[in-house]
């Protein structure tokens, strides 16, 4: 039954032509499966409605209709027939951000409070003040005492909203909780009024009050979910200070265009994605990336919408409009994530489709069969039938999964992890193996100098100075790593620069020709790399020094030093002239400081870890040993990475692949869960993966696993707990062990409260930044 689905979708009777139109609507009061069911049935009656999606969790509706067969007014009229007001989505989003009214201050809450007071007073007169519970009126020979009047007042005040919703349910042929509760309240009240000897005012009044309390609790759980999403909307400011021709003026963020220059003062939020063109500052990126420490920003650095400029003055060139910046993409994907059903939600939907009709049938049989066939007291069995109607709609059961998904997805987004669907949250919690790309994932993806070995009387600074001079005009990543490592910029004359393809570079430094490149380059120049001399005054002798001549510190670069460094995953560059080898520099893509701690944390959780890389065997083995993965595969082409993931899937039920979201796209798509690194500012990475780590930070992986694993546990607890309570009540009611009041308190109010509270526990799970911060510090 669509009525019991947390997100309903369907098709109208029109086949649809070429003139399709789409309405994006906000339906604030559509906050439960019953609501979606009424609207769904109403839309099904509109000829020309092609398809629709109803999302109670977010209170949004998307309707596609054929303008040749119907109009937008006819679509809106369907919502009205179902009893719900709608507004334009953009207008509704703004009003929702401005609206701080709690559900506990709503009209329904106030009516429930009044109804509760009247019910309490009625019970007081009925059971404790019987002496003054006198007749106050007689209608058609039926006397009404004080408690009767108070009961009726409680029923009218509290029951009117229930009966109103029940009317719309009946009008749209929707067998939901509103209709069932309306039948129960009206039946109990009507029988009491019609037959003076029957007293069911207590049951009717209790239903009116307690059901309203349950509905308010359920609405509160949805309100909390929507509030968490609204917090994302509130991250970006509404206006920006735009600088033009030396003057500044305020402009709406929605009106910013690419290329505009905005001024961000200390303490202000950055209005949209952009590039710093003037100024320096520390920017708090926690709302987007989850990073706990502000990030230094200077000219040329990227900044993101919704992040906070801490102390400095910044001028930022806009690189994305408000509708297309990183924050907007996050909000869009979090919203859509809340609307995608998990496998467990699909199970709940199928189960609910059978549950309600079966229990309603059982309620009718319970009320009718014993009195008719066995002469039992009909009033007693009538009340038991009403109690069964109370538990006939599986409200707590239906919301158990979507409330948990909302809590998990929004909590993750606040901590820099973008989960693009409840199904991915669910799948991540069941992952048995995590496969890592190497470059840019386990390593920084940036080359840096790891070793400098001066030779033949030169010092480290001599080697770096010459290397920087000869490499300064090269655009190769190795050249960039060397020039960045040198302490000071080379200032002498540089002439006759030449790139020696596949070997290295050459340049004249101060009139003398210098070379920097692979060992093969210097072998071609005639050097004997099997016998060179380490500069003993430069520091400790390398372990592979030998006695090859009368001098100390002889090195065999070919057999010892170069193979040792290459086995560690390093690239060796020699620096020298045509007459002398001045030194050796090793560069490597350094392992991320947190990588080892992250891999260890995953292994402690019972997760198998493997590294997949296109690098050679030596480099792969060195990195694998350094970070501690269980296994590694080297020299893999992109299609071979896909084969490797498929092999892991054959061995393990669920595999997560962590990569950069672009080069590893095929492997990410093949894995059960694809996780992209450093997705902030990258539309491609965000769109490619199932889950995106917004910061370039591996330490979020254990948090993601913990959150997902806990979410799966919460979902199971909520589903089976709800089912167990319903089963106990379904057995206990016909046997006379459960009253109407207990059925409402346990089956509706109690379970709704427990399910919601259990789901909200996920918001308390946070990344252990201190643990990984210590790991980073130790590695440094």
């Amino acid at each position: 039954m669509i009525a019991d689905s947390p997100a309903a979708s369907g098709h109208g009777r029109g086949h649809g032509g070429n003139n399709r139109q789409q309405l994006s609507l906000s339906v604030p009061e559509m906050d439960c499966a019953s609501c979606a069911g009424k609207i769904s049935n109403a839309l099904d009656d509109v000829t020309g409605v092609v398809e629709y999606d109803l999302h109670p969790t977010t209170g949004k509706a998307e309707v596609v209709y054929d303008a040749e067969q119907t109009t937008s007014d006819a679509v809106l009229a369907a919502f009205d027939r179902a009893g719900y007001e709608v507004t334009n989505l953009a207008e509704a989003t703004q009003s929702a951000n401005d609206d701080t009214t709690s559900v506990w201050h709503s009209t329904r809450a106030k009516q429930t409070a009044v109804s509760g007071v009247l019910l309490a007073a009625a019970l007081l007169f009925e059971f404790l003040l019987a002496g003054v519970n006198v007749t106050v009126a007689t209608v058609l020979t039926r006397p009404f005492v004080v408690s009767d009047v108070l009961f009726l007042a409680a029923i009218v005040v509290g029951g009117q909203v229930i009966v109103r919703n029940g009317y719309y349910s009946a009008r749209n042929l929707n067998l939901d909780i509103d209709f069932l509760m309306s039948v129960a309240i009206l039946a109990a009240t009507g029988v009491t009024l019609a037959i003076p000897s029957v007293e069911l005012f207590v049951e009717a009044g209790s239903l009116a009050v307690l059901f309203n309390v349950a509905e308010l609790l359920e609405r509160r759980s949805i309100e909390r979910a929507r509030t968490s999403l609204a917090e994302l909307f509130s991250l970006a400011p509404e206006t920006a200070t735009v600088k033009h021709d030396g003057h500044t003026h305020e402009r709406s963020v929605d009106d910013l265009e690419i290329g505009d220059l905005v001024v961000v003062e200390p303490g202000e939020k950055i209005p949209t994605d952009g590039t710093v063109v003037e100024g320096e500052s520390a920017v708090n990126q926690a709302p987007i990336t989850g990073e706990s420490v502000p990030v230094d920003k200077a000219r040329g650095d990227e900044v993101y919408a919704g992040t906070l400029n801490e102390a400095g003055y910044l001028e930022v060139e806009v690189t994305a409009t408000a509708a297309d910046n990183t924050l907007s993409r996050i909000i869009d994907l979090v919203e859509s994530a809340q609307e995608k059903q998990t496998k467990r939600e699909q199970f709940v939907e199928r189960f609910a489709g059978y549950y309600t009709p079966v229990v309603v049938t059982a309620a009718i049989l319970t009320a009718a069969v014993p009195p008719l066939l066995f002469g039992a007291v009909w009033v007693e069995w009538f009340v038991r039938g009403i109690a069964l109607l109370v538990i006939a709609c599986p409200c707590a059961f239906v919301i158990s999964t979507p409330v948990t998904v909302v809590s998990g997805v929004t909590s993750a987004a606040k901590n820099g992890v973008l989960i693009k669907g409840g199904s991915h949250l669910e799948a991540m919690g069941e992952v048995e193996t995590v496969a890592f790309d190497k470059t840019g994932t386990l390593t920084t993806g940036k080359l840096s100098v790891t070793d400098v070995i001066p030779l033949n009387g030169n010092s480290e600074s001599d080697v770096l100075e010459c290397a920087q001079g000869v490499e300064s005009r090269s655009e190769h990543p190795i050249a960039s790593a060397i020039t960045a490592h040198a302490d000071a910029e080379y200032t002498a004359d540089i002439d006759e620069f030449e790139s020696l393809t596949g070997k290295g570079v050459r340049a004249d430094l101060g009139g003398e020709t210098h070379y920097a490149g692979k060992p093969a380059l210097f072998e071609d120049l005639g050097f004997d790399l099997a016998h060179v001399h380490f500069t003993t005054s430069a520091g400790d002798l390398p372990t592979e020094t030998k006695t090859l001549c009368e001098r100390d510190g002889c090195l065999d670069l070919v057999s010892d030093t170069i193979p040792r460094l290459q086995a560690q995953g390093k690239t060796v560059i020699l620096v020298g002239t045509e007459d002398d080898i001045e030194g050796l520099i090793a560069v490597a893509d350094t392992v991320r400081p947190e990588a080892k701690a992250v891999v260890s944390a995953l292994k402690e959780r019972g997760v198998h870890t493997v590294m997949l890389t296109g690098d050679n065997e030596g480099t792969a083995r060195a990195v694998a040993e350094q970070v501690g993965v269980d296994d590694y595969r080297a020299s893999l082409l992109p299609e071979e990475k896909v084969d490797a993931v498929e092999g892991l899937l054959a061995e393990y039920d669920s595999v997560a692949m962590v990569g950069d979201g672009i080069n590893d796209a095929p492997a990410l798509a093949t894995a059960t869960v694809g996780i992209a690194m450093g997705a902030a500012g990258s539309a491609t990475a965000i769109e490619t993966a199932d889950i995106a780590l917004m910061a370039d930070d591996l330490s979020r992986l254990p948090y993601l696993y913990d959150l997902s694993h806990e979410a799966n546990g919460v979902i199971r607890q909520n589903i089976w707990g709800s089912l167990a309570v319903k089963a106990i009540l379904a057995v206990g009611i016909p046997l006379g062990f459960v009253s109407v009041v207990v059925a409402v308190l346990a089956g509706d109010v109690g379970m709704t409260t427990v399910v919601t509270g259990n789901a909200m526990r996920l918001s308390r799970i946070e990344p252990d930044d201190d643990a990984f911060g210590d790991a980073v510090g130790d590695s440094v």
Side-chain angles (χ1 to χ4, degrees), residues 12 61 208 256 360 499 727:
L256 290 178
V360 169
S499 176

Side-chain angles (χ1 to χ4, degrees), residues 537-604:
S537 61
D540 296 334
L541 289 171
T543 56
E544 62 265 13
T545 54
K546 299 179 178 180
T547 303
L548 300 176
C549 64
E550 67 276 6
R551 293 180 56 180
D552 292 333
C554 298
L555 294 176
D556 183 345
L557 299 184
V558 176
S559 301
D560 299 324
T561 307
I562 292 175
R564 171 177 64 83
L565 293 172
Q566 289 178 335
Q568 296 172 1
K570 300 173 182 178
T571 299
V572 175
I573 301 297
L574 296 181
V575 181
T577 65
E578 293 179 345
D579 302 318
D580 187 26
I581 299 179
E582 297 171 329
L584 177 153
I585 297 175
V587 298
D589 178 6
T590 53
V591 171
R592 290 179 183 273
E594 73 275 16
K596 184 176 182 179
V598 167
V599 170
S600 176
L602 289 174
K603 291 168 71 173
E604 288 175 1

Side-chain angles (χ1 to χ4, degrees), residues 20 100 115 186 216 266 272 312 316 322 345 363 445 461 480 551 578 658 661 724 727:
R20 291 190 175 188
T100 57
S115 181
L186 292 176
L216 290 170
T272 191
V316 177
E345 282 181 282
S461 58
S480 300
R551 293 180 56 180
E578 293 179 345
V658 188

Side-chain angles (χ1 to χ4, degrees), residues 204-280:
S206 298
L207 285 176
V209 173
L210 295 177
F211 178 67
N212 274 324
V213 171
E215 288 293 285
L216 290 170
L217 286 171
E218 185 175 339
R219 182 165 294 183
R220 173 56 180 157
S221 70
I222 298 298
E223 182 184 75
R224 291 179 66 176
R226 293 180 184 176
T227 298
S228 65
L229 187 59
E231 289 174 2
L232 294 177
F233 280 105
S234 67
L235 288 176
E238 296 180 7
T239 60
T241 302
V242 179
K243 185 175 182 180
H244 183 68
D245 292 336
H247 301 284
T248 60
H249 62 277
E250 293 290 316
R251 186 188 299 176
S252 170
V253 171
D254 292 334
D255 295 332
L256 290 178
E257 298 178 355
I258 295 175
D260 283 343
L261 189 65
V262 297
V263 173
V264 187
E265 298 285 353
E268 292 183 347
K269 291 180 179 179
I270 294 171
T272 191
D273 291 3
T275 302
V276 176
V277 295
E278 190 66 41
E280 295 182 357

Side-chain angles (χ1 to χ4, degrees), residues 200-522:
L200 298 179
F201 279 151
V202 173
E203 285 77 6
S206 298
L207 285 176
V209 173
L210 295 177
F211 178 67
N212 274 324
V213 171
E215 288 293 285
L216 290 170
L217 286 171
E218 185 175 339
R219 182 165 294 183
R220 173 56 180 157
S221 70
I222 298 298
E223 182 184 75
R224 291 179 66 176
R226 293 180 184 176
T227 298
S228 65
L229 187 59
E231 289 174 2
L232 294 177
F233 280 105
S234 67
L235 288 176
E238 296 180 7
T239 60
T241 302
V242 179
K243 185 175 182 180
H244 183 68
D245 292 336
H247 301 284
T248 60
H249 62 277
E250 293 290 316
R251 186 188 299 176
S252 170
V253 171
D254 292 334
D255 295 332
L256 290 178
E257 298 178 355
I258 295 175
D260 283 343
L261 189 65
V262 297
V263 173
V264 187
E265 298 285 353
E268 292 183 347
K269 291 180 179 179
I270 294 171
T272 191
D273 291 3
T275 302
V276 176
V277 295
E278 190 66 41
E280 295 182 357
S281 183
V283 174
N284 183 349
Q285 297 189 153
I288 299 297
T289 66
E291 294 167 286
S292 57
V293 178
V295 179
D296 291 333
K297 299 290 183 179
R299 181 179 296 181
D301 290 333
E302 285 185 307
V303 291
Y304 310 120
T307 56
L308 180 66
N309 180 22
E310 294 275 342
Y313 170 88
L314 294 176
E315 291 184 9
V316 177
E317 182 180 345
V318 174
T319 58
T321 62
D324 195 41
N325 61 39
T326 300
L327 179 59
S328 295
R329 290 197 295 270
I330 291 174
I331 292 172
D332 289 342
L333 290 172
V334 169
E335 285 184 316
S336 63
Q338 295 175 357
E339 295 161 358
K340 295 177 181 176
Q341 289 186 324
T342 68
K343 291 180 181 178
R344 291 187 175 92
E345 282 181 282
Q346 293 168 7
F347 160 74
V348 168
E349 179 179 342
R350 292 193 300 269
F351 179 86
Y354 296 102
Y355 174 85
T356 298
V358 168
V359 178
V360 169
T361 301
I364 295 172
L365 294 175
T366 298
V369 171
L372 292 177
L373 297 184
F374 305 106
V377 179
W378 75 269
V379 173
E380 178 181 336
W381 288 93
F382 180 77
V383 172
R384 293 181 186 180
I386 288 177
L388 277 175
L389 283 182
V390 169
I391 68 166
C393 198
C395 293
F397 180 60
V398 168
I399 70 169
S400 58
T401 301
V403 169
T404 305
V405 168
V406 168
S407 179
V409 169
T410 53
S411 177
K414 293 174 184 177
N415 286 290
V417 180
L418 181 57
I419 303 174
K420 292 170 56 178
S423 59
H424 305 312
L425 176 70
E426 188 177 64
M428 187 64 204
E430 298 173 351
V431 159
E432 297 179 0
T433 296
V434 174
F436 295 91
D437 172 49
K438 181 187 79 69
T439 305
T441 302
L442 289 174
T443 66
T444 62
K446 299 178 181 178
L447 295 176
S448 60
V449 173
T450 59
D451 302 85
V452 179
I453 300 177
L455 302 171
N456 300 316
N458 292 284
S459 65
E460 283 193 16
S461 58
D462 292 336
V463 175
L464 287 172
E465 182 180 6
C466 290
Q468 184 190 39
V470 75
E471 295 278 19
S472 61
R473 295 187 180 180
S474 172
E475 297 181 355
H476 196 279
I478 291 178
S480 300
I482 293 173
T483 55
H485 184 79
D487 290 334
E489 184 176 351
Y490 186 82
T491 56
D493 293 336
I494 303 174
D495 300 306
E496 303 296 328
F497 173 83
E498 181 183 1
S499 176
L500 307 174
T501 304
K503 293 184 178 181
V505 291
R506 175 178 62 194
D508 290 348
L509 306 180
E512 185 177 11
T513 302
H514 280 71
Y515 297 86
K518 296 179 179 180
L521 171 62
F522 284 81

